[in-house]
Amino acid sequence: MPRPHAAAIFEDAWNRQVAGAMRRRGWGTRVLAHTGYGSADRVRVLGRVLMTRRPYAPAAADARATWLELRTADSERRGWRVFFTTPAAGEPVTVTIGEREFRTRVDRSGLLDLTITDHGLEPGWHDLQISSPRAADTTAAVFIVAPDQTFGIVSDIDDTIITTTMPRPMIAAWNTFFRHEGTRRAVPGMATMYRELLAEHPGAPIIYVSTGAWNLVPALTRFLRRAGYPLGPMLMTDWGPTNTGWFRSGQDHKRAALHRLARELPDVRWVLIGDDGQHDPSLYGEFAEQLPERVRAIGIRVLSTTEQLLSHFTPISTDDFEQHVGVELPICRANDGWTMLEQMREALGTDRARA
């Protein structure tokens, strides 16, 4: 195994020192449960373990407190606070399904990403218990996709369902770190489109894939509920140094997430939805070329001229979708969700007729 990058070694050493100082001051840990997903064969449980000022009090702890906080819009706050956290690297964690326990440890960033096979869960939503020695127990929601389900949605987040005008460095930083959560605006009609498509395919999964940090999951979950988006797993990434360099590749993260979904849910044909402000067209086109049988349709939200200018300083998209797609499949392009929904229904109707 190659030696980790110097930046990762430094970051790990810093986190160990900070976490040690916090423990000496009586700090404990807390488990943030994220939404997971799975099939009849396996389930992926997601969460993070962070240092917290609040001590562990088992008698007073509400096992569902963390999850309930994530599923409501009551705890609004400015975004910068969620980035000033210290991961409890290597902390032991136990996931309980029924009478069985599965033990693991979180990674260097405090991330819990555990795949459990032969879980025995029926299709639909379930709550799994997560416990850690120095934290109050909590529950994580997981969605099990039925074996006969063939429809699913993969959605980007930035500028697809929420207007963040990424990747403008200064304004993106202001929106993320300083603006109040309640000031975030949803892209018009996108929540309606997702709800309508899922209503037409009961039991279908929706999975949000983003280059945003795991720290944003609680705030984004509250945003989804406020804006009327269907809840689903969020596959985020971790900003900062990695074992191979100073920064991780957002494109590689999305590419890997798509291929993992294709492996884990092999019968699902995905509707891939993103925007033309970053690299979604080329990534989706590449995936469709490699695995055309796994893609049902592609939807690209077209940014306005102003949004394009603010995003990458040119009035038109720099990622031409058509040059990246070498297979024939339905492609929908629209500025809002209502227009895209009309196109998507026509495209999916055509797709069903061919099938």
Side-chain angles (χ1 to χ4, degrees):
M1 184 175 178
R3 178 181 173 83
H5 192 272
I9 294 175
F10 174 80
E11 183 185 49
D12 291 346
W14 170 261
N15 284 335
R16 283 195 300 269
Q17 291 294 324
V18 174
M22 289 177 172
R23 289 192 178 98
R24 288 191 294 272
R25 293 190 173 201
W27 285 42
T29 62
R30 60 176 173 144
V31 179
L32 288 180
H34 302 332
T35 304
Y37 66 92
S39 63
D41 301 322
R42 62 190 65 224
V43 61
R44 187 179 182 187
V45 184
L46 298 168
R48 290 191 78 200
V49 182
L50 304 172
M51 301 300 300
T52 181
R53 186 187 301 273
R54 292 170 293 183
Y56 174 34
D62 180 0
R64 294 181 58 83
T66 301
W67 177 238
L68 289 173
E69 179 185 346
L70 298 184
R71 298 181 68 170
T72 64
D74 297 333
S75 302
E76 297 184 358
R77 55 184 64 86
R78 283 180 171 82
W80 64 269
R81 297 179 186 276
V82 301
F83 287 91
F84 286 85
T85 58
T86 300
E91 195 75 5
V93 171
T94 301
V95 177
T96 303
I97 302 179
E99 300 298 323
R100 294 182 298 166
E101 295 183 345
F102 303 87
R103 292 178 172 83
T104 186
R105 289 181 179 272
V106 298
D107 68 9
R108 55 184 294 267
S109 62
L111 179 64
L112 166 65
D113 189 348
L114 176 64
T115 298
I116 298 172
T117 58
D118 191 26
H119 50 74
L121 299 173
E122 296 294 323
W125 286 100
H126 299 272
D127 282 341
L128 311 182
Q129 186 181 55
I130 302 179
S131 57
S132 188
R134 287 181 283 270
D137 293 352
T138 188
T139 56
V142 295
F143 183 73
I144 303 299
V145 181
D148 59 349
Q149 181 59 249
T150 61
F151 183 89
I153 298 174
V154 169
S155 173
D156 179 45
I157 294 179
D158 300 325
D159 286 328
T160 300
I161 67 170
I162 180 174
T163 53
T164 54
T165 53
M166 295 287 280
R168 298 178 299 164
M170 297 304 294
I171 298 180
W174 175 261
N175 287 338
T176 299
F177 292 103
F178 298 104
R179 290 186 67 182
H180 200 273
E181 284 182 19
T183 63
R184 298 290 186 90
R185 293 186 297 113
V187 174
M190 295 300 285
T192 300
M193 181 182 73
Y194 289 171
R195 291 197 308 269
E196 293 289 330
L197 291 178
L198 292 179
E200 294 167 7
H201 300 85
I206 181 169
I207 298 179
Y208 301 92
V209 180
S210 172
T211 58
W214 286 106
N215 307 61
L216 295 172
V217 170
L220 288 173
T221 303
R222 292 189 291 269
F223 169 82
L224 293 181
R225 289 190 63 84
R226 272 199 310 275
Y229 284 99
L231 291 180
M234 294 186 195
L235 304 182
M236 313 293 281
T237 187
D238 198 26
W239 291 356
T242 71
N243 285 331
T244 58
W246 283 96
F247 304 102
R248 66 193 66 237
S249 169
Q251 294 183 55
D252 287 347
H253 162 67
K254 283 191 173 182
R255 188 179 292 113
L258 289 172
H259 283 275
R260 179 166 181 172
L261 288 172
R263 294 193 305 270
E264 293 176 330
L265 301 171
D267 296 322
V268 175
R269 297 181 62 202
W270 298 97
V271 173
L272 308 177
I273 301 177
D275 64 85
D276 65 353
Q278 297 187 65
H279 302 284
D280 292 338
S282 57
L283 286 171
Y284 291 167
E286 174 191 286
F287 180 75
E289 242 184 344
Q290 295 172 348
L291 297 172
E293 71 282 2
R294 303 294 174 82
V295 181
R296 189 179 295 262
I298 295 178
I300 298 296
R301 186 205 166 220
V302 180
L303 272 62
S304 67
T305 301
T306 301
E307 288 174 318
Q308 293 286 0
L309 280 168
L310 294 174
S311 180
H312 45 70
F313 309 110
T314 63
I316 60 175
S317 172
T318 59
D319 198 349
D320 184 11
F321 181 80
E322 280 69 20
Q323 68 177 327
H324 298 294
V325 183
V327 294
E328 183 179 353
L329 68 145
I331 300 172
C332 304
R333 300 174 66 103
N335 182 255
D336 59 70
W338 296 302
T339 306
M340 189 180 294
L341 176 59
E342 296 177 3
Q343 298 177 11
M344 195 65 71
R345 280 175 169 160
E346 182 179 354
L348 295 177
T350 304
D351 184 62
R352 285 195 297 273
R354 289 176 181 174

